[in-house]
């Protein structure tokens, strides 16, 4: 009896230790690592409005929203949260949350109405300059994304990201902003989520600019955006870093992908999907060899040949281009929402249009056993963020990772326990990635500061910590329960599973 008891106690202890390592102690209050910075993020087209203010020219999203049927609820970002007018309230909200930094983006056509750097809009520059000053006056670090999808329509008329000259245009645009704001902005993000604007905008018809050239136009955009990013980084590195002393890098959508089963075919499908989802953009920049992932190159070449193309649909990167792109990010910018599971077995030839990105991936994906909450848009799979962080750490020699987006979409409501549960579970997994796995993570950013124009979903899907009243002239912002929770997290520097704040009405 005593012996069995001792044995069982020992087994229990071992199980506890194992569980602690694998899953962490979900019931325990966890201290946040010292030095981990917290922020919130937005993007110009999603919040600013002021679509025709002063000399601003239309962006590809202004154009896209005019096409009937493109935006689920028929809305647009013409007015959105009116942050162009009311940015000071955004800063008050950030101050209320107690964040260390604010990640926002600059609208290219607001700053350069022709798209080119021949004429800089004084009103455009002054808007961002005032925002930066307001942030700094409130002790909040500005971190600026140069491109979060609102390309000047004038440049799209010349091919946009499918034209290799965009590398010149983007470098010129970057220089204007380094010159205007670089004395105060020390953290630059060149491009936000390359896959989303290249594949969905050039290979499909679901995002601006609606080019719909599957497996061809999208891959042209991928090569050109990598070159444009590298040009903006080299410019900063050579000419601006010595006097401005900041950091510059890219942020990549890094949702996780894995096989839906342990069958070798599914595992292989999951690995190839990771190459398409993340590696397509990260391998050229962060790997020691540079260039596109080898398996992806082989796959597209094989499919292209089988389809009768005399050469691969994937544009080649020359040796010089590979060298030029490699190593051009001071950190790994990491955006993450969820995970998809891939099945090779379920894939049948002809399921997807040929040629296309989806056909090149060559597997069927879904959310596996996971379901989305009734009012939810994002599927909560917290184990996936830890796997994605580890995949980056293992693939690229443990770079410094800055999480620039993570958050939960739903269909509205100021009392949002599902969003709080999502943040708690994902942060718990992130703390495991830091403390158990040794991932080097320096920043965490909640997407989003407030509800905003969610691209093709219009205003119907909400990611905000603050609700926005789109009927109100002043676009009143109201703190959701999740804003109160995020504020507690930052103030206490602890992740407390039992912290469930009670809703109270706080308006900005
Ligand atoms: C901007 O567009 C609005 C309609 O959305 C219009 O009423 C206004 O006159 C325009 N302003 C300028 C400066 O063109
Ligand atoms: C994390 O990355 C930063 C920047 O490269 C570096 O200074 C720091 O030493 C790294 N920390 C760890 C624990 O590797």
């Amino acid at each position: 009896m005593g012996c069995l008891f001792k044995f069982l106690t020992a087994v229990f202890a071992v199980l506890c230790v194992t569980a602690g390592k694998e899953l962490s102690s979900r019931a325990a209050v966890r201290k946040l690592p010292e030095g981990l910075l917290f922020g919130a993020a937005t993007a110009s087209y999603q919040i600013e409005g002021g679509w025709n203010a002063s000399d601003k020219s239309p962006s590809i999203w202004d154009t896209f929203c005019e096409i009937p049927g493109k935006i689920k609820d028929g809305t647009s970002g013409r007015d959105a949260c009116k942050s162009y007018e009311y940015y000071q309230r955004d800063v008050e909200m950030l101050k209320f949350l107690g964040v260390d930094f604010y990640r926002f983006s600059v609208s290219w056509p607001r700053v350069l109405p022709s798209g080119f750097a021949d004429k800089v809009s004084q009103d455009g520059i002054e808007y961002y300059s005032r925002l930066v000053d307001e942030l700094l006056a409130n002790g909040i670090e500005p971190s600026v994304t140069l491109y979060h999808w609102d390309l000047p329509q004038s440049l799209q008329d010349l091919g946009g990201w499918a034209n290799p000259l965009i590398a010149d245009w983007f470098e010129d645009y970057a220089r204007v902003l380094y010159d205007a704001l670089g004395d105060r902005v020390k953290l630059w993000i060149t491009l936000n989520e390359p896959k989303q604007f290249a594949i969905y905008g050039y290979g499909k018809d679901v995002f601006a600019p609606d080019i719909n050239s599957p497996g061809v136009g999208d891959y042209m955009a991928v090569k050109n955006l990598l070159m444009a990013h590298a040009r903006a980084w080299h410019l900063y590195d050579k000419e601006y870093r010595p006097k401005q002393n900041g950091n510059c890098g890219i942020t990549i959508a890094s949702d996780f992908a894995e096989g839906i089963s342990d069958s070798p075919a599914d595992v292989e499908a999951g690995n190839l999907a990771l190459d398409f989802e993340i590696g397509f953009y990260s391998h050229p920049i962060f790997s020691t060899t540079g260039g596109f992932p080898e398996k992806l190159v082989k796959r597209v070449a094989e499919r292209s040949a089988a389809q009768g193309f005399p050469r691969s649909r994937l544009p080649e990167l020359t040796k010089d281009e590979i060298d030029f792109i490699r190593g051009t990010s001071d950190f790994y910018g990491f955006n993450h929402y969820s995970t998809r599971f891939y099945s090779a077995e379920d894939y049948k030839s002809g399921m997807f249009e040929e040629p296309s990105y989806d056909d090149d991936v060559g597997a069927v994906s879904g959310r596996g056993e996971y379901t989305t909450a009734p009012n939810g848009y994002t599927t909560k799979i917290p184990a996936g963020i830890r796997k994605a962080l580890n995949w980056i750490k293992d693939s690229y020699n443990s770079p410094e990772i800055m999480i620039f987006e993570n958050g939960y979409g739903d269909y509205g409501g100021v009392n949002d326990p599902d969003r709080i549960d999502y943040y708690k579970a994902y942060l718990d997994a992130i703390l495991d990635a830091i403390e158990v796995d040794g991932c080097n993570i320096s920043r965490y950013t909640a997407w989003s500061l407030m509800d905003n124009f969610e691209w093709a979903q219009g205003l119907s899907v909400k990611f905000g910590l603050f609700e926005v009243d789109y009927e109100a002239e002043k676009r009143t912002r109201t703190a959701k329960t999740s804003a109160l929770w995020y504020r507690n997290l930052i103030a206490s520097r602890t992740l407390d599973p039992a912290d469930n704040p009670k809703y109270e009405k706080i308006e900005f």
Side-chain angles (χ1 to χ4, degrees):
M1 188 64 178
C3 214
L4 180 61
F5 178 71
K6 256 189 208 150
F7 172 72
L8 286 177
T9 312
V11 167
F12 184 62
V14 167
L15 283 177
C16 287
V17 168
T18 315
K21 223 176 156 44
E22 289 298 308
L23 299 167
S24 89
S25 36
R26 298 228 181 275
V29 175
R30 303 182 76 166
K31 271 222 88 45
L32 301 177
E34 218 174 295
L36 178 62
L37 300 180
F38 286 85
T42 61
S44 46
Y45 189 73
Q46 295 181 274
I47 65 160
E48 284 177 1
W51 73 286
N52 61 354
S54 182
D55 48 356
K56 179 182 172 291
S57 69
S59 80
I60 55 174
W61 276 92
D62 288 313
T63 308
F64 188 68
C65 291
E66 295 288 298
I67 306 170
K70 290 295 179 190
I71 309 301
K72 192 178 157 190
D73 57 4
T75 59
S76 77
R78 280 183 160 217
D79 300 316
C81 310
K82 294 194 179 175
S83 286
Y84 184 68
E85 247 173 290
Y86 300 128
Y87 69 93
Q88 282 164 318
R89 265 193 281 146
D90 298 347
V91 179
E92 285 170 28
M93 286 144 61
L94 292 157
K95 181 95 174 152
F96 172 84
L97 292 174
V99 292
D100 299 297
F101 65 97
Y102 177 42
R103 175 181 172 228
F104 63 92
S105 82
V106 172
S107 162
W108 188 338
R110 192 184 295 294
V111 166
L112 300 180
S114 75
F116 300 107
D118 57 322
K119 185 178 159 292
V120 179
S121 163
Q122 279 321 302
D123 284 349
I125 285 293
E126 272 167 29
Y127 168 66
Y128 295 108
S129 191
R130 284 196 307 269
L131 172 57
V132 165
D133 287 342
E134 187 77 10
L135 288 165
L136 290 171
N138 284 281
I140 299 162
E141 178 197 6
S143 81
V144 176
T145 311
L146 295 174
Y147 186 74
H148 202 130
W149 307 357
D150 40 358
L151 188 74
Q153 180 61 44
S154 57
L155 299 185
Q156 185 53 50
D157 295 343
L158 302 173
W161 291 100
N163 186 337
L165 287 174
I166 197 153
D168 289 345
W169 311 336
F170 187 66
E171 182 186 315
D172 296 343
Y173 166 58
R175 181 189 291 282
V176 167
L177 290 171
Y178 299 155
D179 276 335
L181 307 178
D183 55 336
R184 290 155 289 160
V185 172
K186 303 300 167 190
L187 186 56
W188 295 97
I189 297 155
T190 55
L191 304 178
N192 178 72
E193 298 188 350
K195 175 194 168 178
Q196 281 58 22
F197 71 80
I199 307 296
Y200 299 151
Y202 290 77
K204 298 180 192 252
D205 57 2
V206 296
F207 274 8
D210 194 25
I211 298 302
N212 202 12
S213 165
V216 179
D218 41 7
Y219 295 166
M220 292 164 67
V222 172
K223 173 174 175 174
N224 296 334
L225 71 86
L226 285 166
M227 290 301 292
H229 152 78
R231 288 278 292 276
W233 183 87
H234 280 294
L235 173 67
Y236 191 80
D237 191 51
K238 271 202 199 62
E239 294 187 33
Y240 290 86
R241 195 198 303 278
K243 51 187 187 212
Q244 296 185 346
N245 263 311
N247 285 309
C248 178
I250 192 168
T251 196
I252 297 171
S254 304
D255 270 15
F256 198 62
E258 62 182 305
I260 194 157
S261 79
D262 291 339
S263 83
D266 285 351
V267 170
E268 185 56 33
N271 288 337
L272 185 63
L274 267 179
D275 278 346
F276 273 96
E277 185 75 26
I278 310 178
F280 210 171
Y281 318 94
S282 57
H283 196 275
I285 298 171
F286 295 95
S287 71
T288 47
T289 52
F292 292 124
E294 222 171 283
K295 279 190 210 139
L296 179 152
V297 172
K298 188 159 164 273
R299 176 62 157 253
V300 179
E302 280 169 5
R303 300 294 297 142
S304 300
Q307 289 154 352
F309 288 89
R311 68 191 62 192
S312 179
R313 288 176 277 105
L314 181 64
E316 210 173 323
L317 288 172
T318 66
K319 169 90 176 55
D320 284 350
E321 288 168 340
I322 289 172
D323 290 342
F324 187 74
I325 295 168
R326 193 181 57 220
T328 56
S329 196
D330 301 329
F331 49 79
Y332 187 105
F334 175 97
N335 295 8
H336 182 102
Y337 290 90
S338 194
T339 292
R340 296 192 83 88
F341 302 92
Y342 286 77
S343 166
E345 325 269 347
D346 292 348
Y347 178 73
K348 309 265 177 307
S349 161
M351 255 179 149
F352 300 116
E353 193 178 347
E354 273 190 56
S356 71
Y357 170 90
D358 289 329
D359 182 67
D360 288 339
V361 173
V364 184
S365 78
R367 301 295 181 191
E369 73 204 61
Y370 296 88
T371 53
T372 305
N375 187 40
Y377 176 75
T378 311
T379 313
K380 181 177 127 190
I381 312 174
I385 196 169
R386 184 175 174 186
K387 290 179 188 177
L389 290 163
N390 273 281
W391 186 81
I392 286 148
K393 165 179 159 269
D394 297 340
S395 303
Y396 307 126
N397 190 31
S398 197
E400 178 181 4
I401 298 173
M402 297 186 180
I403 299 175
F404 278 130
E405 283 185 29
N406 178 230
Y408 181 82
D410 65 18
Y411 293 96
V414 287
N415 199 12
D416 54 349
D418 290 342
R419 178 168 291 107
I420 295 174
D421 283 350
Y422 176 97
Y423 276 126
K424 283 178 180 171
Y426 274 67
L427 275 164
D428 200 41
I430 291 164
L431 294 188
D432 286 343
I434 297 172
E435 290 164 2
V436 181
D437 310 331
C439 293
N440 188 352
I441 301 167
S442 58
R443 286 175 194 252
Y444 179 83
T445 316
W447 182 275
S448 178
L449 174 62
M450 61 190 145
D451 292 346
N452 55 52
F453 178 77
E454 181 52 36
W455 310 113
Q457 302 298 320
L459 300 174
S460 68
V461 171
K462 328 269 190 182
F463 277 89
L465 294 167
F466 290 80
E467 184 184 70
V468 175
D469 181 356
Y470 297 107
E471 302 299 316
E473 198 327 280
K474 291 224 140 93
R475 296 296 190 273
T476 313
R477 291 103 155 96
T478 304
K480 300 183 189 178
T481 315
S482 57
L484 307 178
W485 171 84
Y486 197 48
R487 180 188 199 214
N488 287 350
L489 174 96
I490 294 170
S492 66
R493 290 209 66 90
T494 55
L495 176 61
D496 180 357
D499 184 34
N500 294 302
K502 225 167 72 79
Y503 174 72
E504 51 179 309
K505 191 165 176 177
I506 301 171
E507 283 184 354
F508 288 85

